Amino acid sequence: MRTLAALMLLLALVLAPRARALEPDKAFRHYVSDSWSIQQGLPQISVLSLAQDRTGYIWVGTQSGLARFDGLGFRTYTPENTPGLPGTWVRSLLSARDGRLWVGTYKGLAFFDGHEFSSVPAPAGAPALDVLDITEDSQGRIWLATPSGVFRVEHDRLLPVAGSPLPAQAVLVRDDGLWVGTRGAVYRRLATGRWERL
């Protein structure tokens, strides 16, 4: 039995296709592309945010617009070619469970539903919000950190969260509450609605 196994292994090695080595005159970077820049279509070299949607596209937020990467190249979205996008400086991205891509810019919030971009209006009388961070809770609600405090999205409208710290620079939803990072402190909003400084 051992002789038969050894003979089969020898036959497999003899019949196996020959492995080809890398060509010695080419650099390794010619075989693997692991960085992309404006030469490959990225709208700007400062990448501020990244997200991958459920269809597999990589979304890149830059100081000169939003880009969608399909593995080969970039398609760029700006307010000039995409009216639903409120600003070019894309600070935060979130691929939500419902399939929407949420886009936070220095001039407000938008979402992409797979077909078109739609802007989410700021509360009446409020200036456009600079959206610094976006997160989603277990019920699918969207929360934002902005210099004007924390906001949540309800029925595609922005609602302020009472008592939230200013400026809210980062936001995280956990089982034990809503966590908010601000200058020099971290706050947590309890289920009762009360805020505590940690």
Side-chain angles (χ1 to χ4, degrees), residues 165 178-182 185-189 195-198:
L178 176 71
W179 293 66
V180 178
T182 186
V186 174
Y187 288 83
R188 180 173 61 175
R189 182 176 182 254
W195 289 91
E196 66 176 9
R197 182 176 173 145
L198 303 174

Side-chain angles (χ1 to χ4, degrees), residues 109-133:
L109 180 70
F111 64 86
F112 179 66
D113 64 4
H115 304 290
E116 65 182 351
F117 286 87
S118 299
S119 184
V120 179
L129 295 174
D130 186 358
V131 181
L132 303 174
D133 196 15

Side-chain angles (χ1 to χ4, degrees), residues 3-153:
T3 307
L4 180 59
L7 183 59
M8 301 258 316
L9 178 61
L10 181 61
L11 185 60
L13 290 173
V14 169
L15 295 176
R18 292 178 53 189
R20 301 179 84 185
L22 297 176
E23 295 178 44
D25 60 330
K26 285 190 174 180
F28 186 68
R29 71 179 181 277
H30 292 123
Y31 294 98
V32 177
S33 181
D34 59 0
S35 67
W36 293 269
S37 189
I38 54 176
Q39 290 82 9
Q40 291 80 31
L42 192 64
Q44 205 266 344
I45 60 171
S46 295
V47 174
L48 305 175
S49 53
L50 293 167
Q52 184 173 18
D53 67 22
R54 64 171 147 181
T55 63
Y57 288 113
I58 303 289
W59 294 86
V60 182
T62 75
Q63 294 176 359
S64 294
L66 178 66
R68 185 181 73 183
F69 183 63
D70 62 8
L72 299 173
F74 293 93
R75 178 175 177 192
T76 301
Y77 301 87
T78 64
E80 289 76 32
N81 65 21
T82 310
L85 197 61
T88 56
W89 195 306
V90 179
R91 296 186 186 274
S92 53
L93 294 169
L94 173 74
S95 181
R97 285 188 293 267
D98 67 0
R100 288 181 176 184
L101 176 76
W102 291 90
V103 183
T105 77
Y106 73 111
K107 287 188 173 181
L109 180 70
F111 64 86
F112 179 66
D113 64 4
H115 304 290
E116 65 182 351
F117 286 87
S118 299
S119 184
V120 179
L129 295 174
D130 186 358
V131 181
L132 303 174
D133 196 15
I134 309 171
T135 194
E136 180 179 20
D137 67 19
S138 60
Q139 286 83 39
R141 291 177 297 206
I142 304 300
W143 300 82
L144 313 175
T146 77
S148 302
V150 176
F151 287 76
R152 65 184 165 85
V153 178

